[in-house]
Amino acid sequence: MTDAPAPSHTMPTFSGDAMTGQTEPLPPHDIAAVQLADEGLRRIEWAEREMPVLRLIRDRFVRELPLAGLRISACLHVTTETANLMRTLKAGGAQVTLTASNPLSTKDDVAAALVARFGISTYAIRGEDNATYYRHLNLAADTHPHITMDDGCDLVALLHQQRRDQLSEVLAGTEETTTGVIRLKAMAADGALAFPVVAVNEAQTKHLFDNRYGTGQSTVDGILRATNILLAGRRCVVAGYGWVGRGIASRLTGMGARVTVVEVDPVRAIEALMDGHQVMTAGDAAAWGELFVTATGNINVFREEHFRVMGDGALLANSGHFDAELDLVALTRLAEGHVREVRNDVREYDLGEKKLYLLAEGRLVNLGAAEGHPAAVMDMSFAGQALSVEYVAQNHASLARGVHVVPAEIDAQIARLKLEARGIFLEAMTEEQIRYTSSWDQGT
Ligand SMILES: NC(=O)c1ccc[n+]([C@@H]2O[C@H](COP(=O)([O-])OP(=O)(O)OC[C@H]3O[C@@H](n4cnc5c(N)ncnc54)[C@H](O)[C@@H]3O)[C@@H](O)[C@H]2O)c1
């Protein structure tokens, strides 16, 4: 581990620490308005009520300090749930720095509370431009992290592309989302990944619940908050029938929408069909749909040829990681400058013969126009993050460079704690059943 100097920022004011009641200087930060701290604190505490697993982990971390002496830089969506994860890591003894993983998903009051109530260094301003985003990412890297945490691989990519001298200081990392894991696997395949990274997304207690139920519900929430449309009877197109797409399609169906799925994978497409949805090509779906939601992790899923055949008033939203799933360059070109904001998070593109509406600038609509996943779901994902950080802190020396799965015991522990927090206990196999299921010579 190296001892890096703290970033040189002014720390002029004093604040209360929500956990200890003590006053201490504000940590280095760049946020919208520190005055929002009290509102942020109330909302962080509200989320915490729904996060019993993370609370239990925090209680243990306070006693055991498994992260003592470690510097952690996290590039995650700055939400109430992330704030509770950051508190947990700090309680474990780590020096934590947080930077936004998406310019639109930052909740400014949460950033303020992290800085002024929890003493956690935070770099995030909702709506920050690209230059500010990367300046913030670099500030997080300036702390010379021992452990990186990513949601989309931006911090790991920065270290590998522009700050290679720091690579040897990093013990390990964690990655939250599908898109980040795909990038990491590509780096590992090229022999380029310089340290071990645990793919939290691959944990069953992550993607089965977060991607499916969390994104499913919060994507619909974002669309409704932005537009207040009626979903019952509406023709909705979901592109991608992975964990996220399945969740969105099932929630839209639950609200009475008619759903068509666009897929490139035949197995996923047949699954969509048997789940009761229609399956079409993007071209056919473009002419059919009224609301379009992308969740593929791919680029230009809907593009000029599709915008041309969409009907007047069609709504476009994305819930995949990057804002590249809709070809916004083509959309802007087709509108020839006739673009205006018509509501918060709704932008109108006037194509002359019709108008198309883009939600949340084509960025993750569940985070841009709503509050992201419900805390109860993030409780499991972030329990996976906290336990994975503890795991890499203890085991980094024996982990090879590359992408690692979350150990099965961590998955089982999270699921068990979540059930127990709800007063639900598991059946246990009898001795006879254990013998039966582990033998090969007993038939019917
Ligand atoms: N909004 C959120 O909060 C949130 C949460 C979790 C994941 N994500 C992101 O959502 C995206 C999807 O995640 P996932 O876990 O469902 O991934 P996944 O790999 O399980 O599913 C993606 C699906 O898209 C399909 N696909 C790829 N290209 C396509 C194309 N051109 N047209 C139609 N289908 C195509 C693939 O065949 C696959 O079935 C990723 O970018 C991920 O990072 C977002």
Side-chain angles (χ1 to χ4, degrees):
M1 295 179 202
T2 51
D3 282 311
S8 55
H9 285 258
T10 45
M11 294 187 270
T13 47
F14 288 79
S15 70
D17 183 294
M19 296 172 81
T20 64
Q22 291 169 352
T23 59
E24 52 183 50
L26 292 184
H29 64 274
D30 188 20
I31 59 173
V34 79
Q35 304 87 300
L36 299 174
D38 285 340
E39 172 63 12
L41 177 61
R42 276 194 294 276
R43 295 199 315 111
I44 291 166
E45 288 174 344
W46 176 256
E48 186 192 11
R49 293 167 54 87
E50 291 278 308
M51 306 183 84
V53 179
L54 202 57
R55 257 192 339 257
L56 286 171
I57 294 170
R58 193 169 75 219
D59 291 347
R60 179 170 66 76
F61 275 15
V62 169
R63 292 192 306 276
E64 299 177 3
L65 295 177
L67 310 178
L70 291 175
R71 286 188 297 275
I72 299 177
S73 286
C75 177
L76 300 172
H77 299 294
V78 180
T79 62
T80 54
E81 296 81 15
T82 301
N84 282 306
L85 173 61
M86 296 299 106
R87 291 172 64 189
T88 305
L89 301 176
K90 187 180 178 192
Q95 178 194 316
V96 183
T97 302
L98 176 64
T99 185
S101 61
N102 184 304
L104 256 200
S105 61
T106 295
K107 306 301 174 197
D108 287 325
D109 58 340
V110 171
L114 277 164
V115 170
R117 294 292 173 267
F118 296 109
I120 292 173
S121 192
T122 303
Y123 302 106
I125 300 171
R126 183 179 154 92
E128 63 195 19
D129 59 20
N130 222 32
T132 309
Y133 179 83
Y134 281 100
R135 184 168 58 79
H136 286 167
L137 199 62
N138 273 291
L139 284 164
D142 283 350
T143 62
H144 291 254
H146 303 118
I147 295 179
T148 62
M149 301 175 76
D150 257 315
D151 187 326
C153 193
D154 280 353
L155 185 53
V156 166
L158 176 82
L159 291 170
H160 282 77
Q161 286 162 357
Q162 292 169 33
R163 307 180 64 136
R164 297 192 62 80
D165 53 319
Q166 282 181 235
L167 289 176
S168 61
E169 302 165 2
V170 182
L171 307 177
T174 67
E175 170 56 54
E176 172 77 6
T177 198
T178 314
T179 289
V181 173
I182 290 169
R183 293 174 84 185
L184 288 166
K185 285 184 175 165
M187 289 173 76
D190 277 353
L193 188 57
F195 47 80
V197 180
V198 174
V200 176
N201 186 70
E202 313 284 273
Q204 299 205 51
T205 46
K206 201 280 184 179
H207 63 254
L208 287 179
F209 302 90
D210 169 318
N211 299 28
R212 184 165 43 165
Y213 300 115
T215 318
Q217 177 174 312
S218 58
T219 297
V220 172
D221 185 15
I223 291 166
L224 294 183
R225 288 197 205 193
T227 62
N228 197 26
I229 58 167
L230 180 71
L231 284 173
R234 195 167 296 255
R235 296 190 300 276
C236 300
V237 177
V238 177
Y241 204 64
W243 295 110
V244 171
R246 289 176 179 112
I248 296 169
S250 87
R251 268 50 198 161
L252 288 171
T253 305
M255 296 190 77
R258 297 162 60 196
V259 173
T260 287
V261 168
V262 176
E263 249 299 343
V264 294
D265 178 322
V267 177
R268 296 239 162 127
I270 194 102
E271 185 184 352
L273 192 71
M274 294 209 182
D275 283 345
H277 310 303
Q278 302 187 90
V279 177
M280 294 184 197
T281 62
D284 288 345
W288 177 86
E290 298 170 295
L291 165 67
F292 297 83
V293 191
T294 50
T296 68
N298 212 335
I299 57 166
N300 298 336
V301 177
F302 291 114
R303 44 192 185 268
E304 177 166 347
E305 68 205 76
H306 306 122
F307 300 142
R308 286 193 181 281
V309 296
M310 285 177 185
D312 181 33
L315 299 162
L316 304 167
N318 167 48
S319 215
H321 189 78
F322 290 117
D323 61 351
E325 303 218 7
L326 302 162
D327 185 352
L328 300 183
V329 175
L331 187 57
T332 307
R333 193 177 56 243
L334 288 172
E336 294 175 350
H338 301 291
V339 179
R340 62 181 185 130
E341 307 299 318
V342 289
R343 277 169 70 95
N344 279 345
D345 298 315
V346 183
R347 186 171 293 167
E348 180 184 86
Y349 290 76
D350 189 341
L351 275 57
E353 75 285 9
K354 67 185 172 201
K355 297 182 174 78
L356 302 181
Y357 295 93
L358 176 70
L359 310 190
E361 300 178 15
R363 298 183 191 275
L364 301 158
V365 70
N366 60 329
L367 283 143
E371 294 177 67
H373 297 356
V377 165
M378 294 314 293
D379 188 27
M380 294 205 287
S381 303
F382 283 170
Q385 282 281 12
L387 295 178
S388 294
V389 167
E390 182 185 33
Y391 171 75
V392 296
Q394 289 167 348
N395 297 288
H396 61 87
S398 59
L399 292 174
R401 306 159 172 208
V403 182
H404 294 261
V405 296
V406 174
E409 314 84 75
I410 290 185
D411 244 344
Q413 188 186 347
I414 295 167
R416 193 177 296 275
L417 287 172
K418 188 73 174 173
L419 287 167
E420 288 179 8
R422 303 201 56 178
I424 299 167
F425 298 91
L426 293 183
E427 178 63 11
M429 281 202 261
T430 63
E431 287 299 323
E432 182 193 29
Q433 288 168 340
I434 292 170
R435 275 197 307 279
Y436 179 78
T437 53
S438 56
S439 73
W440 56 270
D441 56 352
Q442 295 185 41
T444 45

